[in-house]
């Protein structure tokens, strides 16, 4: 009999607890989706929404601030994306803020990124429109990376050839040049160039090869780390290439102008031509490489990493730079 | 004299097996009729057809002047309250105490009754079957005879005008079955009910049948008469019951 | 040839008769659910049996499912360097599918068979008939209360299973790396949306209804004899499990249509 009396109590506890779990879950979920806080609407027009769907997150400087509430085709080349965004961040979003569609990691879903605007543009109001920008596609990046690597390989080959020529060359110019630090620099640079471009090439190849494994590879921290350090090295080398190129330029100029001893000693015209073309190519490729490196650096690949990671890396890079400069 | 039950040309078949073949009978008010027969002759089916636990194939059943085969759910429930049915094993609700078992029909059919009234009714019903002590027991703790008595008390508590007894003495020792038979008679006198007693126990049939005894065979009534008439019958089929 | 044909039509017939009977039974039970008298005492009793008494079973199973699922999925995700997706993935699978279905199947095994056996025993000992002839509406008292109890409590059991499953997953994740509860919950809930939770909850309500209903139907239509009680309990489990999967199939398609994925 006593047992029976406890039944309603126990059942009551059971049901209350169960409903509590449910309600807390729903509330937590709702607060994640800003369901229970007041929101405002922002519109943006895109040419291509890249698979964005209703409910995708909207991020402002990496913070989830809202969701995509509606996607509509307006015309054959315009797609309207309506976003509902937490009212609390309204004052931080400027009228000239740019909107971009990106992905939350390769495997993750699409997100809308709102980039901060300028302070004097003023906060946006409900139902305002923000300008959209197109972010780079992975395909574009791969294409560009390929061009850079091809160029890099050509330069390297040329440099190696030139250094070989200089090293093995008979006569005074070789002697003279062998004494010069340029030769050592050149050969050192050539070796570094080879290894770096090989590693970049390897990574790009891997990316290219594994279409399905793409995410895996890019998301894989080891590989991305490799890629990172390769890019860093690349950047350093670029700087040095620049100086070398400049030195070579001076060198060749002085040769061409026929100033003093050097001019006399340079009797090998093929060699001079070689040096000339190489210098031209190096100059051009350096520009190319620097451009590409910047693009890659800016591109979404680095967005794969959460803010923390990125910051860490940034700091790492910053701490490394002064050392290099010394 | 008024008839409380009238059955005309009742037929029932399960698949291809005819269980009831053209059965007709009447039960006058205030009388007890015992239906005697071997197991499997359709006695229980007949009783269940009367309360529509089994739907008859054809024929007519009038209970208290109403065609029970034609009434709908609500009305059928109303009719059923007036017809008590005592099942073979007593059919007590295992999960309830004796008290709850008895309260159950009142609680479910007469919601207006307050607790005190219900308690009084339970006590009275238990008293008439002589089992006041068992009020807080669970059915599992009761003997077969006690279960039947409680079952009878539960049937009586709704004050039915008609009671159908389905094998009231089956599975009981001779002394207990005698007691139960006596009890049926006492109840009939006390509550002034009309009853049909279905049994294969000749002793029970003798004690309980105030009016007539009907012998059922192969889905039909074979013969009817008083106990004395039947026991003196020359028919071998009939006399085999009385030896 | 003819024999086979008649056999097939015969078994088809029994199938349709069964379906028809279940439908009729359902209609009657639903009618009873909405007509009085309301037996809250019986509902509490059944609710206690179904809810509290099943909770340990559900909790243990849910915990193990969450744990095992996480441990099993982890190596694959690590290969992809995507172990940060683990909480979200597990949360989605537990809340959308594993929580409701495992709970429902366990309930089919425990509750459906229990109701089938209990009602079967009541049928065999003529207790149901006794209620019927005393005009006490056993469909209301015995069946409706049980069906209502399962309908209300199976979803709650599912909530518990979900919660405990996530706990199991959290423990599994922490076996390999240390992750705070906050981060785990944040990642888990990031992958979830209402289109996961709501269909799963509605689905659970249907699971509960049919777990009770099928157990009751099988018990209510038990043949004579103690042997049939066992048969009823058995076929209640089998039918209920089958129906759970059918509902699951329908649910996934309906929610696909509604949410348009």
């Amino acid at each position: 009999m006593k047992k029976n009396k406890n039944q309603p109590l126990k059942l009551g506890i059971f049901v209350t607890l169960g409903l509590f779990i449910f309600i807390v879950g729903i509330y937590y979920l709702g607060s994640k989706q800003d369901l229970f806080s007041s929101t405002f609407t922002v519109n943006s027009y895109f040419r291509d929404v890249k698979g964005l769907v209703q409910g995708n997150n909207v991020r402002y400087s990496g913070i989830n601030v809202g969701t995509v509430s509606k996607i509509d085709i307006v015309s054959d080349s315009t797609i309207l994306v309506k976003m509902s965004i937490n009212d609390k961040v309204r004052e931080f979003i400027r009228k000239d803020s740019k909107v971009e569609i990106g992905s939350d990691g390769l495997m993750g879903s699409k997100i809308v990124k709102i980039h901060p605007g300028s302070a004097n543009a003023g906060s946006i109001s409900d139902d305002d429109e923000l300008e959209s920008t197109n972010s780079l596609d992975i395909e574009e990046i791969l294409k560009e990376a390929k061009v850079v690597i091809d160029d890099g390989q050509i330069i390297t080959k040329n440099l190696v050839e030139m250094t070989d020529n200089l090293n093995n060359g008979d006569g005074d110019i070789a002697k003279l040049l062998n004494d010069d630090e340029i030769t050592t620099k050149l050969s050192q640079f050539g070796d570094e160039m080879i290894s770096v471009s090989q590693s970049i090439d390897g990574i790009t190849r891997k990316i290219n090869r594994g279409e399905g494994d793409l995410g895996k590879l890019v998301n894989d921290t080891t590989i991305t780390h490799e890629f990172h350090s390769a890019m860093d090295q690349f950047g350093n080398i670029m700087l040095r290439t620049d100086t070398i190129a400049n030195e070579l330029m001076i060198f060749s100029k002085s040769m061409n102008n026929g100033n003093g001893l050097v001019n006399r000693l340079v009797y090998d015209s093929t060699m001079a031509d070689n040096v000339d073309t190489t210098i031209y190519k190096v100059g051009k490729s350096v520009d190319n490489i620097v451009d590409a490196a910047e693009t890659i650096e800016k591109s979404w690949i680095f967005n794969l990493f959460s803010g923390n990671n990125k910051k860490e890396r940034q700091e790492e890079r910053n701490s490394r730079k002064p050392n290099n400069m010394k | 004299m008024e008839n409380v039950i009238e059955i005309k040309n009742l037929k029932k078949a399960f698949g291809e097996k005819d269980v009831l073949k053209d059965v007709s009978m009447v039960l006058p008010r205030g009388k007890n009729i015992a239906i005697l027969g071997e197991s499997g002759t359709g006695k229980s089916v007949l009783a269940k057809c009367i309360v529509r636990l089994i739907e008859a194939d054809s024929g007519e059943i009038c209970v208290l002047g109403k065609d029970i085969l034609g009434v709908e759910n609500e009305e059928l429930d109303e009719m059923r309250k007036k017809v008590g049915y005592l099942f073979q094993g007593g059919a007590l609700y295992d999960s309830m105490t004796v008290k709850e078992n008895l309260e159950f029909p009142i609680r479910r059919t007469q919601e207006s009754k307050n607790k005190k009234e219900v308690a009084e009714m339970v006590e009275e019903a238990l008293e008439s079957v002589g089992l006041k002590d068992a009020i807080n027991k669970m059915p599992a703790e009761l003997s077969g005879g006690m279960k039947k008595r409680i079952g009878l008390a539960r049937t009586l508590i709704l004050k039915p005008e008609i009671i159908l007894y389905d094998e009231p003495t089956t599975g009981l020792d001779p002394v207990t079955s005698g007691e139960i038979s006596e009890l049926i008679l006492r109840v009939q006198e006390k509550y002034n009910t009309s009853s049909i007693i279905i049994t294969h126990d000749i002793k029970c049939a003798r004690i309980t049948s105030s009016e007539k005894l009907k012998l059922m065979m192969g889905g039909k009534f074979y013969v009817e008469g008083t106990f004395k008439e039947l026991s003196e019958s020359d028919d071998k089929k009939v006399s085999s019951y009385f030896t | 040839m003819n024999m086979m044909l008649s056999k097939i039509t015969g078994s088809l017939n029994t199938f349709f008769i069964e379906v028809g009977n279940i439908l009729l039974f359902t209609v009657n039970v639903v009618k009873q659910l909405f007509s009085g008298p309301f037996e809250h005492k019986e509902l509490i009793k059944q609710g206690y049996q179904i809810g509290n008494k099943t909770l340990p079973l559900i909790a243990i199973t849910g915990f193990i499912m969450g744990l095992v699922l996480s441990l099993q999925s982890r190596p694959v995700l690590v290969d992809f360097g995507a172990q940060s997706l683990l909480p979200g993935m597990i949360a989605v699978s537990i809340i959308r599918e594993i929580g409701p279905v495992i709970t429902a199947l366990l309930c089919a095994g425990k509750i459906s068979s229990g109701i089938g056996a209990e009602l079967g025993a009541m049928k065999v000992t003529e207790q149901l008939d006794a209620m019927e002839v005393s005009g006490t509406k056993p469909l209301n008292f015995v069946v409706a209360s049980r069906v209502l109890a399962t309908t209300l409590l199976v979803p709650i059991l599912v909530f518990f299973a979900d919660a405990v499953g996530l706990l199991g997953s959290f423990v599994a994740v922490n076996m390999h790396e240390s992750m705070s509860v906050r981060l785990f919950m944040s990642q888990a809930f990031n992958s979830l949306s209402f289109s996961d939770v709501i269909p799963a909850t509605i689905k659970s309500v249907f699971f509960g209804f049919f777990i009770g209903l099928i157990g009751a139907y099988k018990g209510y239509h038990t043949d004579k004899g103690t042997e049939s009680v066992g048969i009823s309990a058995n076929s209640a489990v089998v039918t209920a499990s089958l129906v759970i999967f059918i509902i699951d199939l329908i649910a996934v398609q309906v929610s696909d249509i509604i949410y348009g994925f």
Side-chain angles (χ1 to χ4, degrees), chain A residues 190-298:
Chain A
D191 287 348
E192 277 182 57
M193 208 48 185
I194 292 167
S195 68
V196 171
S197 66
Q198 268 172 354
S199 67
I200 296 178
D201 191 33
I203 293 163
T204 331
R205 238 176 254 233
K206 277 190 210 168
I207 296 176
N208 270 337
R209 188 182 52 220
E211 275 182 11
D213 283 352
L214 193 66
K216 170 177 161 181
L217 289 161
V218 179
N219 251 338
D220 192 306
T221 3
T222 352
I223 287 176
T224 349
H225 193 77
E226 255 174 50
F227 195 65
H228 252 289
S229 54
M231 291 307 296
D232 283 350
Q233 267 177 282
F234 210 46
N236 288 338
I237 289 165
M238 282 317 116
L239 281 172
R240 273 191 280 162
T241 318
D242 231 8
T243 33
I244 293 168
N246 284 336
E247 280 178 51
L248 279 171
M249 198 80 82
I250 297 162
F251 172 65
S252 84
K253 255 185 201 159
S254 64
M255 279 200 290
N256 284 339
N257 294 342
N259 279 342
L261 180 71
V262 181
N263 185 34
R264 265 203 293 136
L265 289 174
V266 179
Y267 52 88
D268 192 347
S269 61
T270 0
M271 163 97 178
D273 280 344
N274 241 348
V275 170
D276 245 347
T277 37
T278 310
I279 286 164
Y280 171 72
K281 273 190 186 169
V282 166
K284 201 183 166 217
S285 305
V286 163
D287 289 344
N288 264 344
I289 292 170
V290 169
D291 278 353
E294 271 174 12
T295 337
I296 292 172
E297 195 82 32
K298 274 186 201 158

Side-chain angles (χ1 to χ4, degrees), chain C residues 177-231:
Chain C
E177 56 194 294
S178 104
M179 187 185 259
S180 70
V181 185
R182 239 189 134 82
L183 179 62
F184 179 86
M185 291 309 275
S186 174
Q187 287 192 350
F189 275 80
N190 262 340
S191 314
L192 284 173
S193 65
F194 283 102
S195 59
D196 298 318
V197 178
I198 291 165
T201 308
I202 294 171
K203 185 161 86 174
S204 310
V205 172
F206 278 97
F207 285 161
F209 179 75
F210 280 100
I211 284 165
L213 186 87
I214 286 164
Y217 172 80
K218 290 290 176 186
Y220 209 83
H221 292 84
T222 303
D223 288 335
K224 288 247 154 72
T226 28
E227 201 189 342
S228 5
V229 178
I231 295 170

Side-chain angles (χ1 to χ4, degrees), chain B residues 105-155:
Chain B
I106 313 171
R107 194 160 55 81
R108 298 282 299 172
T109 58
Q110 302 165 27
E111 286 164 70
S112 54
K113 291 270 194 302
N114 65 31
K115 269 191 178 169
K116 207 181 150 201
E117 284 174 300
V118 173
E120 276 169 13
M121 286 167 85
V122 169
E123 205 167 305
E124 188 199 332
L126 279 177
E127 207 172 345
S128 42
V129 296
L131 274 176
K132 267 176 91 175
D133 308 334
I135 189 155
N136 282 324
K137 285 195 172 150
M138 294 300 282
E141 301 169 63
L142 302 174
S143 70
M146 284 160 98
K147 277 183 191 167
K148 284 204 174 150
R149 288 190 198 203
I150 302 292
L152 180 58
R154 194 180 63 191
T155 312

Side-chain angles (χ1 to χ4, degrees), chain A residues 156-178 183 186-187 267-278:
Chain A
T156 323
K157 225 187 250 167
N158 284 340
L159 281 173
V160 170
E161 217 172 280
M162 195 174 94
T163 336
D164 275 358
N165 277 346
L166 287 171
N167 278 337
N168 303 331
D170 300 321
D172 293 325
I173 177 78
K175 227 187 210 169
L176 183 80
L177 286 175
N178 268 339
T183 336
L186 273 179
S187 91
Y267 52 88
D268 192 347
S269 61
T270 0
M271 163 97 178
D273 280 344
N274 241 348
V275 170
D276 245 347
T277 37
T278 310

Side-chain angles (χ1 to χ4, degrees), chain A residues 3 7-8 10-11 14-15 17-19 21-22 25-26 28-30 32-33 35-36 64 107 215-216 219-220, chain C residues 44-45 47-48 51-52 55 79-82 85 153 156-157 159-160 163 185-186 189-190 192-194 197 201:
Chain A
K3 214 177 120 197
Q7 272 184 11
K10 284 181 184 166
L11 182 66
F14 171 80
V15 171
L17 215 65
L19 289 177
I21 290 173
F22 182 64
I26 286 285
Y28 194 52
L29 199 56
K32 284 241 167 218
Q33 299 195 348
L35 208 77
F36 302 118
N64 283 336
M107 319 239 301
K216 170 177 161 181
N219 251 338
D220 192 306
Chain C
I44 286 171
K45 194 174 146 195
Y48 180 77
N52 296 45
L55 183 60
D79 275 356
F80 282 82
L85 294 181
L153 287 166
I156 292 179
L157 283 171
F159 302 154
F160 277 105
M185 291 309 275
S186 174
F189 275 80
N190 262 340
L192 284 173
S193 65
F194 283 102
V197 178
T201 308

